[in-house]
């Protein structure tokens, strides 16, 4: 899933933003997306399982949810002119046709502040039965 | 005293339901219904009620029973649609047995006791009814209820 999200964002017109190949690790205790403003980081995907159907002969059907987080930070005092359009475009990555076999596609967008930086975080979730 | 405590997925200790087309004699192999989600055995006696002038309460007595098995299963293609060749339960599948309205013989194994001993098997004859396969976008796996409308009495035996 991470690859598909990354490739989708790579194909967008990012304006003054850029897409990084790196995961958003901490460098000297500071997350990369805080050190490098207007750089988009796509985190490693996470997977959870929930049992949907349990049967008396041991068969279980699980819902496997894969989540991918995307981060970038901007100046909190003045947002880039293409901020709103970029957020809208990145949200549409949930509909990318290269991700198949899922019955649920969701995305949450949240913002937070670190001193004078605004962090924008996307969480994409894709669910399929296994 | 031992509680009946089936172990899902453990052969010989899990709940099992097997059906035979017409009879166990006519259909030696039968069809083991897989992926049971739940099973309910209904044994509902009818009640005759009357009143007497020398009693402040109604008198009741149990009369004939209406028996049935009801369950929900996850659809398995082979057991639901059958193998297609022959006149056995396995060949007809659950859908075929319902459609042709053939009498079936069933055996419901209750599983295992909590002390590891085998428990009982209830058998009888009836008809497959109440199929309603369903699927939804939120739950994209086919499931269906099944009712076996029982004709006659249940028979209880020890599991072999």
């Amino acid at each position: 899933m991470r690859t598909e999200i990354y490739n989708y964002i790579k194909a967008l017109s990012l304006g003054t933003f850029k897409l990084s190949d790196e995961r958003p690790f901490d460098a000297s205790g500071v997350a990369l997306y805080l050190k490098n403003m207007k750089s988009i980081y796509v985190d490693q995907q996470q997977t959870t399982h929930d049992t949907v159907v349990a049967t008396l002969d041991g068969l279980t059907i699980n819902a496997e949810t894969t989540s991918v987080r995307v981060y970038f930070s901007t100046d909190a005092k003045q947002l880039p002119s293409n901020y709103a359009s970029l957020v809208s475009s990145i949200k549409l990555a949930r509909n990318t046709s290269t991700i198949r076999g899922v019955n649920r596609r969701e995305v949450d967008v949240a913002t937070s502040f670190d001193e004078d930086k605004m962090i924008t975080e996307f969480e994409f979730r894709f669910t399929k039965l296994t | 005293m031992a509680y009946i405590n089936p172990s899902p997925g453990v052969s010989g200790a899990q709940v099992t339901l097997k059906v035979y087309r017409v009879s166990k004699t006519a259909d030696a192999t039968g069809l083991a219904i897989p992926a049971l989600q739940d099973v309910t055995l209904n044994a509902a006696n009818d009640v005759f009620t009357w009143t007497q002038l020398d009693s402040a309460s109604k008198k009741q007595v149990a009369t004939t029973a209406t028996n049935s098995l009801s369950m929900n299963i996850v659809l398995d293609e082979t057991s639901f649609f059958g193998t297609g060749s022959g006149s056995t339960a396995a060949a007809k599948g659950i859908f075929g047995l319902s459609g042709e309205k053939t009498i079936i013989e069933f055996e419901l194994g209750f599983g295992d006791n909590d002390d590891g001993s085998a428990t009982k098997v209830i058998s009888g004859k009836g008809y497959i009814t109440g199929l309603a396969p369903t699927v939804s976008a939120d739950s994209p796996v086919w499931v269906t209820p099944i009712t076996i409308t029982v004709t006659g009495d249940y028979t209880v035996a020890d599991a072999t």
Side-chain angles (χ1 to χ4, degrees), chain B residues 17 36 38-42 67-73 108 129 145-150 154:
Chain B
L17 178 63
L36 290 166
D38 55 78
V39 182
T40 301
L41 186 146
N42 303 294
N67 299 326
S68 65
L69 280 181
S70 53
M71 68 211 77
N72 289 288
I73 66 167
L108 173 63
T129 62
I146 303 177
T147 302
I148 298 178
T149 303
V150 179
Y154 292 119

Side-chain angles (χ1 to χ4, degrees), chain A residues 53 55-58 61 103-104 129, chain B residues 8-9 14 35-37 74 137-138:
Chain A
V53 174
T55 64
L56 293 166
D57 60 357
I61 298 174
N103 63 298
R104 187 170 290 184
L129 293 187
Chain B
Q14 64 189 13
L36 290 166
Q37 291 181 274
V74 179
D138 287 333

